Amino acid sequence: MSKESGKAFDYKLFKRLMQHTKPYKLVFYGVAVAAILLSAFSVGRQLLLKETVDNYILHKDNEGLLIFIGLMGLTLLMEVVSQFSFIYYANWLGQSIIRDVRIKLFKQMMRFKMKYFDNSSVGILVTRAVSDMERIAEIFSQGFFVIVADLLKMTVVAVVMLVVSWKLSLIVFAILPAILYATRLFQKAMKVAFIEVRAQVSNLNSFVQERITGMKILQIFNREDIEYEKFSRINKKHERAWVKTVWYNSIFFAVVELLSSVTVGLIAWYGGLQALIPGSGFEIGTIIMFIQMSQMLFRPLRQIADKFNTLQMGMVAAARVFKILDTDSFIEDKGTQSAEHVKGDIAFKNVHFSYVEDEEVLHGISFEAKAGETIAIVGATGAGKSTIINLLSRFYEINSGEIAVDGVNINKYSLSSLRGSVAVVLQDVFLFADTILNNITLKNPDITEEAVVEAAKQIGIHDFFMSLPDGYHYNVKERGAMLSSGQRQLIAFLRAYVSNPSILILDEATSSVDSYSEQLIQQATDKITEGRTSIVIAHRLATVKKASRILVMEAGNIVEEGTHKELLKKEDGHYKNLYEVQFMAEEQTV
């Protein structure tokens, strides 16, 4: 889009946008008919005014005057009806189209790889889905149709003027090229200005969204003044971008108003002189009509320029939205087999992976987990433990090697069935601004409230939920702000449990968790891992000891593997060192 910033109009982009009107053809054509009728009635009213002045007012024909005033009233009424239909259905069409495009956009973003979101600003994506969509709607409600209607009206006006008086028409048309030239310059300048406006709006949205989300961190580290200064600079750029558009508007409308007034003066001067000459054919009604119709010719030009701004803003927004719609950032889903009833045998075979090209995170990882086993993964931060979690659910694609479930490459399973058979409890639990029940079921109609209550009782956290106001219907607010980290994790445990997965992946971190929640989490861990294949990033000694096998990771490699007792026997082993640093103190306090 930046390469075309100097173009006043992008026809290919507009054509693609217009394809979304196909489901609403009847309304589209109805708006077009309303625009034609609006032009006809507007010009017809001026012709009736001319006839009324020349033939009835000047000749003092009261009876004829009443008839023509009635006709003018009827014409005005039809003009109002046409204008109402035009405005209402043009807006209806715009809202219907952006509803369809917004749904398509959201569906597209739901299918993107995690890598796409790793590299994208949430604030910018929100801007695309919300404010940019409104700009697209304005293409239809205030841009394209209004421009077409005004051009049609101008054409009809020009033809009628030529038919009535070519001499007075020449006066009007002599000024017209200057206005058209000013309009063209204005359109090009505004194209560039509005691209800058949309860029600054995105930057502002992104900055504000991130700072509001991270407000606690800003206040903890006393960053308010620094972030305020950053915001002021970004806001200043946003202001400058908008002021530039105001500057262009101020110049353009002043020039057009001046030229319009000069035209009226010339019509009154020349037409008045001619009217004084007997037999010249110039009449007062004709002069009045030309003054009115010259404004009807010039006023749409001012509006067209203004609406072209709206059209350009919409086109810039459409280009940004279509860029996301055209983004091919999907996990390939060509699998045909169902993973719905897998036993849970897992095998990683020489798996290599990197988040960033040429910066490998996993260096040939290989291990197996039999159905029903619990595999604990331990290691220092950055060793690659969480990466294994991401790869098993195919949130990212591996560089080489193979990951198999029940002996079948996970690429051969359909993505939905694979993820449906794997439940993940992450260390950073995300909760929606909704009830506890809806956060557990995620509004899955197949999971009833009775099933949730029974599952909560089985893993020992029913009493905790009932201790909250409204119990399972307690609203946790945005991101679960009303709950502690331990309480949020208990909800995540139950969310995984009620989905009845064949494979469970668990990051059981308990930092900042009170002793009561710690005990509940341990009970929940024991229950939900019972009888199913589990891969646990272990932070508790109890989980490590109970694991069928422990994988010790360091710098993207599995450096040791075995049971708790086996690994402790290795002198100066990685696990033994980790145990002495991390787990021994925990064991002594138990």
Side-chain angles (χ1 to χ4, degrees), residues 221-345:
F221 289 95
N222 195 30
R223 297 276 300 180
E224 294 97 322
D225 292 341
I226 296 173
E227 295 302 324
Y228 172 76
E229 291 299 325
K230 287 183 180 178
F231 176 80
S232 296
R233 289 195 294 270
I234 293 173
N235 197 36
K236 189 67 177 176
K237 290 181 179 179
H238 178 260
E239 178 199 17
R240 287 172 183 166
W242 271 110
V243 167
K244 188 181 289 186
T245 68
V246 174
W247 168 254
Y248 291 143
N249 272 291
S250 301
I251 295 175
F252 174 74
F253 286 114
V255 169
V256 172
E257 191 64 35
L258 175 63
L259 293 173
S260 178
S261 299
V262 169
T263 304
V264 171
L266 289 174
I267 291 172
W269 170 73
Y270 182 78
L273 289 177
Q274 294 298 313
L276 294 175
I277 301 173
S280 64
F282 279 81
E283 297 175 321
I284 299 300
T286 303
I287 296 172
I288 293 174
M289 187 195 79
F290 263 81
I291 290 174
Q292 291 282 73
M293 294 187 76
S294 69
Q295 298 308 300
M296 289 178 64
L297 189 64
F298 293 159
R299 191 181 304 118
L301 274 179
R302 295 198 296 270
Q303 291 178 348
I304 284 173
D306 188 37
K307 300 309 177 185
F308 205 93
N309 297 342
T310 301
L311 179 62
Q312 287 176 330
M313 286 188 73
M315 295 291 281
V316 171
R320 295 175 184 273
V321 170
F322 286 144
K323 184 178 180 181
I324 296 178
L325 289 173
D326 292 338
T327 300
D328 184 13
S329 183
F330 309 117
I331 295 292
E332 193 175 74
D333 187 13
K334 294 183 178 180
T336 56
Q337 297 189 42
S338 173
E340 188 175 350
H341 301 295
V342 295
K343 295 184 298 180
D345 289 326

Side-chain angles (χ1 to χ4, degrees), residues 91-258:
N91 278 273
W92 184 92
L93 183 63
Q95 291 300 319
S96 298
I97 288 170
I98 66 164
R99 178 197 61 205
D100 297 343
V101 176
R102 186 181 278 127
I103 289 172
K104 188 176 180 181
L105 178 68
F106 188 75
K107 184 178 180 182
Q108 178 88 339
M109 290 193 294
M110 292 278 282
R111 295 170 54 222
F112 281 153
K113 298 177 182 177
M114 288 298 107
K115 186 175 181 179
Y116 179 87
F117 296 103
D118 293 342
N119 299 324
S120 300
S121 164
V122 174
I124 289 176
L125 292 178
V126 170
T127 301
R128 299 294 173 266
V130 181
S131 59
D132 277 349
M133 285 296 176
E134 294 304 321
R135 300 291 82 76
I136 293 173
E138 289 173 358
I139 290 177
F140 299 94
S141 62
Q142 301 178 36
F144 170 70
F145 283 121
V146 174
I147 291 173
V148 171
D150 284 344
L151 287 174
L152 180 61
K153 185 186 293 185
M154 289 168 61
T155 302
V156 174
V157 166
V159 170
V160 171
M161 289 172 72
L162 282 170
V163 171
V164 174
S165 173
W166 66 269
K167 293 180 180 179
L168 288 177
S169 298
L170 287 180
I171 293 175
V172 177
F173 295 162
I175 304 295
L176 194 59
I179 296 179
L180 289 173
Y181 181 70
T183 301
R184 179 65 175 173
L185 292 178
F186 177 70
Q187 289 169 354
K188 284 190 173 183
M190 291 301 285
K191 173 75 172 183
V192 178
F194 278 129
I195 288 176
E196 178 63 17
V197 165
R198 295 313 305 162
Q200 294 305 326
V201 167
S202 295
N203 291 339
L204 189 62
N205 285 348
S206 179
F207 184 89
V208 172
Q209 189 272 336
E210 288 180 353
R211 270 56 184 184
I212 290 176
T213 303
M215 187 59 69
K216 187 175 181 180
I217 297 297
L218 298 185
Q219 293 183 356
I220 287 173
F221 289 95
N222 195 30
R223 297 276 300 180
E224 294 97 322
D225 292 341
I226 296 173
E227 295 302 324
Y228 172 76
E229 291 299 325
K230 287 183 180 178
F231 176 80
S232 296
R233 289 195 294 270
I234 293 173
N235 197 36
K236 189 67 177 176
K237 290 181 179 179
H238 178 260
E239 178 199 17
R240 287 172 183 166
W242 271 110
V243 167
K244 188 181 289 186
T245 68
V246 174
W247 168 254
Y248 291 143
N249 272 291
S250 301
I251 295 175
F252 174 74
F253 286 114
V255 169
V256 172
E257 191 64 35
L258 175 63

Side-chain angles (χ1 to χ4, degrees), residues 218-489:
L218 298 185
Q219 293 183 356
I220 287 173
F221 289 95
N222 195 30
R223 297 276 300 180
E224 294 97 322
D225 292 341
I226 296 173
E227 295 302 324
Y228 172 76
E229 291 299 325
K230 287 183 180 178
F231 176 80
S232 296
R233 289 195 294 270
I234 293 173
N235 197 36
K236 189 67 177 176
K237 290 181 179 179
H238 178 260
E239 178 199 17
R240 287 172 183 166
W242 271 110
V243 167
K244 188 181 289 186
T245 68
V246 174
W247 168 254
Y248 291 143
N249 272 291
S250 301
I251 295 175
F252 174 74
F253 286 114
V255 169
V256 172
E257 191 64 35
L258 175 63
L259 293 173
S260 178
S261 299
V262 169
T263 304
V264 171
L266 289 174
I267 291 172
W269 170 73
Y270 182 78
L273 289 177
Q274 294 298 313
L276 294 175
I277 301 173
S280 64
F282 279 81
E283 297 175 321
I284 299 300
T286 303
I287 296 172
I288 293 174
M289 187 195 79
F290 263 81
I291 290 174
Q292 291 282 73
M293 294 187 76
S294 69
Q295 298 308 300
M296 289 178 64
L297 189 64
F298 293 159
R299 191 181 304 118
L301 274 179
R302 295 198 296 270
Q303 291 178 348
I304 284 173
D306 188 37
K307 300 309 177 185
F308 205 93
N309 297 342
T310 301
L311 179 62
Q312 287 176 330
M313 286 188 73
M315 295 291 281
V316 171
R320 295 175 184 273
V321 170
F322 286 144
K323 184 178 180 181
I324 296 178
L325 289 173
D326 292 338
T327 300
D328 184 13
S329 183
F330 309 117
I331 295 292
E332 193 175 74
D333 187 13
K334 294 183 178 180
T336 56
Q337 297 189 42
S338 173
E340 188 175 350
H341 301 295
V342 295
K343 295 184 298 180
D345 289 326
I346 300 171
F348 274 61
K349 304 174 184 178
N350 195 30
V351 173
H352 291 259
F353 173 75
S354 58
Y355 291 104
V356 180
E357 192 174 355
D358 299 326
E359 294 182 19
E360 200 168 74
V361 177
L362 298 183
H363 313 291
I365 293 292
S366 297
F367 70 89
E368 292 185 3
K370 299 300 181 183
E373 279 190 332
T374 296
I375 302 296
I377 304 177
V378 298
T381 301
K385 306 185 297 295
S386 297
T387 301
I388 289 176
I389 288 178
N390 291 327
L391 297 182
L392 184 57
S393 295
R394 289 195 71 196
F395 292 128
Y396 297 87
E397 295 282 34
I398 62 177
N399 297 350
S400 62
E402 182 183 40
I403 303 174
V405 173
D406 285 6
V408 178
N409 190 309
I410 59 173
N411 294 341
K412 294 183 179 180
Y413 291 116
S414 67
L415 200 58
S416 60
S417 70
L418 174 66
R419 291 178 178 172
S421 68
V422 180
V424 182
V425 180
L426 297 174
Q427 179 179 349
D428 183 19
V429 178
F430 185 91
L431 298 181
F432 296 94
D434 208 330
T435 64
I436 287 175
L437 179 64
N438 287 336
N439 269 288
I440 293 168
T441 65
L442 298 178
K443 298 188 178 180
N444 184 341
D446 297 329
I447 304 175
T448 64
E449 183 174 352
E450 292 74 18
V452 171
V453 172
E454 181 59 31
K457 289 178 179 178
Q458 289 178 14
I459 65 175
I461 58 176
H462 171 70
D463 292 339
F464 157 65
F465 290 139
M466 294 307 296
S467 69
L468 297 170
D470 300 323
Y472 288 84
H473 297 279
Y474 178 64
N475 194 311
V476 301
K477 305 301 180 184
E478 188 174 358
R479 299 182 68 88
M482 303 303 291
L483 302 176
S484 70
S485 58
Q487 292 168 335
R488 290 196 295 269
Q489 196 169 44

